[in-house]
Amino acid sequence: NWGVFEGLLSGVNKYSTAFGRIWLSLVFIFRVLVYLVTAERVWSDDHKDFDCNTKQPGCSNVCFDEFFPVSHVRLWALQLILVTCPSLLVVMHVAYREAREKKHRETVGEDGGRLYLNPGKKRGGLWWTYVCSLVFKAGVDTAFLYVFHSFYPKYTLPRVVKCHAAPCPNTVDCFISKPSEKNIFTLFMVVTAAICILLNLVELAYLVSKRCREGLAARKAR
């Protein structure tokens, strides 16, 4: 249920930078919504309408499996799940801090000091959790772009594929359903993934440079 998943991630906005909010909006508007509304429908007939110019039983199934070892739609679903899971870790870390702060107040009272002035502020372990989540998200998108390029060079599908796998009697021509439409959506998903990688790297550079500036300012103050 992508709606429940979106509800869980909506809390990330409270702890994200401006780049992180743009990334989250881009993921849900241009990746999840496009996946739900169009991609599943475009690829719903990929096996049914995969035609080969032979009547040999099993030939079209074998050729389809050879050319489509993994469905685009299933790869995108796995990519979207993996790329958004690190954001949930940030929310869980903040929830852990808030629980510790609440327990501390119950133990020592309101006048006993605080463990965290702001549990959602990116300091200490939460800063590292957030930075690691950015690295992981950029790494996942990069890995999936490489996988797609390995399966489908230049991220495009040809109109006709040559297949000579057994039990096909000889080299046969197989025709993909709606290749132009599928190429458009594939390139769209690839471009949005590349933009998300760029946003993650920009946000990472922003956080690291901000921490370096704060460290230098603290040294000068001392």
Side-chain angles (χ1 to χ4, degrees):
N1 191 326
W2 291 101
V4 175
F5 199 60
E6 181 180 4
L8 289 173
L9 286 176
S10 61
V12 180
N13 271 333
K14 295 187 294 185
Y15 317 115
S16 300
T17 65
F19 299 107
R21 295 187 182 97
I22 295 173
W23 176 88
L24 193 60
S25 301
L26 188 67
V27 166
F28 277 107
I29 296 175
F30 293 101
R31 295 178 72 175
V32 174
L33 287 182
V34 169
Y35 172 83
L36 292 175
V37 175
T38 57
E40 286 187 317
R41 297 181 182 179
V42 171
W43 268 266
S44 62
D45 59 352
D46 54 351
H47 193 185
K48 181 182 66 176
D49 295 337
F50 185 81
D51 295 327
C52 297
N53 59 354
T54 180
K55 296 298 183 180
Q56 177 68 32
C59 179
S60 61
N61 287 337
V62 170
C63 292
F64 181 84
D65 183 68
E66 181 180 356
F67 191 74
F68 290 100
V70 182
S71 170
H72 283 67
V73 174
R74 293 180 180 87
L75 269 178
W76 280 328
L78 182 61
Q79 180 182 8
L80 290 172
I81 290 171
L82 290 179
V83 84
T84 50
C85 279
S87 298
L88 295 178
L89 293 178
V90 175
V91 177
M92 291 169 61
H93 196 155
V94 174
Y96 168 74
R97 282 185 160 197
E98 291 174 346
R100 284 194 64 193
E101 181 65 31
K102 182 179 179 181
K103 186 176 180 180
H104 176 74
R105 290 185 181 181
E106 292 175 351
T107 303
V108 301
E110 293 293 334
D111 298 329
R114 301 184 63 177
L115 291 176
Y116 307 102
L117 294 177
N118 184 356
K121 195 172 183 62
K122 291 182 285 293
R123 289 289 185 271
L126 183 60
W127 186 87
W128 284 104
T129 299
Y130 197 91
V131 167
C132 290
S133 72
L134 294 176
V135 174
F136 185 83
K137 288 187 289 189
V140 167
D141 271 335
T142 303
F144 273 90
L145 288 181
Y146 175 77
V147 170
F148 271 107
H149 187 269
S150 300
F151 288 156
Y152 313 104
K154 297 181 180 179
Y155 305 106
T156 55
L157 303 176
R159 296 179 181 274
V160 183
V161 295
K162 303 288 185 178
C163 179
H164 51 80
C168 297
N170 46 43
T171 301
V172 299
D173 294 332
C174 295
F175 305 91
I176 300 171
S177 170
K178 297 182 288 189
S180 298
E181 187 176 15
K182 291 178 179 177
N183 285 334
I184 291 172
F185 283 107
T186 300
L187 292 176
F188 179 85
M189 296 295 278
V190 168
V191 170
T192 52
I195 294 174
C196 286
I197 293 173
L198 179 62
L199 284 173
N200 286 327
L201 296 178
V202 170
E203 186 175 12
L204 180 63
Y206 167 76
L207 289 175
V208 173
S209 61
K210 182 180 179 181
R211 176 56 62 90
C212 292
R213 290 195 303 269
E214 290 175 352
L216 291 174
R219 288 186 180 181
K220 290 180 180 180
R222 287 198 299 266

